[in-house]
Amino acid sequence: MRADAMVSNPAAGDIAPAVLAIGRPDFPNVLIQTLRGQAGVGHCMVFALSRAGAASCLLDAGNIPIGGDLGAAYAGRFHESDPNRDALFEGEGSAPIMLPAFAPRMYGARYRKIFFQDSGIVDKCATAIWVDNTCFYVNFYRIAAQGRFSAVQRDRLGAIAPAIAASVARHFQHSAAPDQTLATLFATCAPLAGLSPREQEVCRGILEGFSSEAISQTLGISLHSTLTYRKRAYERLGISSQSELFSIVLRLLAGPGSLN
């Protein structure tokens, strides 16, 4: 499945592998490989923060050997001194939050030593999304051997971060397999539920990464029929591209109704 969080941002559609891995045990590995390929991310950590003050490390994947220790330390007490904390809690709502650019001076001396000097982290970008009373805080890192994020990589992260945040939230909110998730969306959620059965089948094939030719073979219909069903589906949905279809699905995944 390809996905982007906003119709105006088709570049975010290239995180297909990570979205397809939602609910699977290999989600952490697929996520870091996708981030590495798309924006040169070396390591990714995800924390769950609550307004009640609790914190936990949900995901630790990549090239930082002491990542697990850092996750435990952050969840234990350092989340309280995170300079991004105010931005995280002021941004409570359904829209993804992109955190300010990393600057070492933002952090206290002990925080810098543990989380940057001892770990070799030299750069960081972060995003977050609230679902009910939980903030899913997604951090992207690069270590000394990689150097800092380039301007292009930062722009790329900015493009895909909303979709990544929504995918992470969906993964940790539900354990359903991706195919089951798609089936539920098409059966119950507007506007997808308004498509005809054949239009839904074609759109699901697109979301699962199949070409029009492969969809035709799977459904036992002609290529012309497949293209016709795709055209009709797009017209019903008010879209004109594959990226916009991905956008609809990810917004449904990230919306309050599908993450409760």
Side-chain angles (χ1 to χ4, degrees), residues 19-255:
V19 180
L20 265 179
I22 290 171
R24 294 190 339 222
D26 64 342
F27 178 79
N29 290 334
V30 175
L31 177 65
I32 190 60
Q33 291 300 325
T34 301
L35 291 170
R36 190 166 291 156
Q38 290 298 313
V41 174
H43 200 93
C44 179
M45 298 185 76
V46 177
F47 299 95
L49 308 175
S50 74
R51 297 197 69 83
S56 60
C57 182
L58 303 177
L59 185 147
D60 163 46
N63 59 5
I64 301 176
I66 63 169
D69 294 335
L70 296 179
Y74 184 89
R77 61 172 181 164
F78 280 96
H79 64 94
E80 297 174 349
S81 56
D82 187 339
N84 284 324
R85 188 174 179 85
D86 287 345
L88 289 169
F89 282 83
E90 289 172 0
E92 182 175 357
S94 60
I97 308 161
M98 197 67 190
L99 280 299
F102 168 75
R105 65 180 179 277
M106 295 167 55
Y107 301 83
R110 183 161 177 75
Y111 198 114
R112 287 200 307 270
K113 181 179 187 305
I114 293 175
F115 289 92
F116 302 113
Q117 296 170 13
D118 293 351
S119 67
I121 294 172
V122 297
D123 208 355
K124 168 187 172 180
C125 292
T127 185
I129 189 170
W130 281 88
V131 179
D132 297 330
N133 294 316
T134 300
C135 177
F136 293 92
Y137 181 25
V138 189
N139 296 265
F140 314 110
Y141 305 101
R142 279 173 68 91
I143 61 173
Q146 297 175 294
R148 295 177 66 89
F149 287 108
S150 68
V152 171
Q153 289 168 333
R154 283 187 176 279
D155 288 345
R156 186 66 184 149
L157 273 177
I160 66 175
I164 290 293
S167 298
V168 165
R170 177 68 179 184
H171 174 76
F172 288 107
Q173 282 285 310
H174 292 282
S175 60
D179 186 60
Q180 293 173 319
T181 297
L182 283 179
T184 300
L185 290 182
F186 277 93
T188 63
C189 298
L192 300 179
L195 300 177
S196 72
R198 191 63 95 184
E199 289 165 354
Q200 289 189 8
E201 289 175 331
V202 169
C203 286
R204 285 184 60 180
I206 293 170
L207 291 165
E208 290 165 357
F210 292 105
S211 67
S212 296
E213 290 79 5
I215 294 171
S216 301
Q217 294 178 2
T218 300
L219 299 181
I221 59 178
S222 69
L223 177 59
H224 175 75
S225 295
T226 296
L227 296 177
T228 298
Y229 286 124
R230 184 183 69 182
K231 180 181 178 181
R232 290 177 182 172
Y234 282 9
E235 288 175 348
R236 288 177 186 268
L237 297 173
I239 62 176
S240 59
S241 71
Q242 182 173 283
S243 292
E244 291 174 295
L245 176 61
F246 299 143
S247 178
I248 289 173
V249 170
L250 195 59
R251 283 202 305 270
L252 291 173
L253 291 177

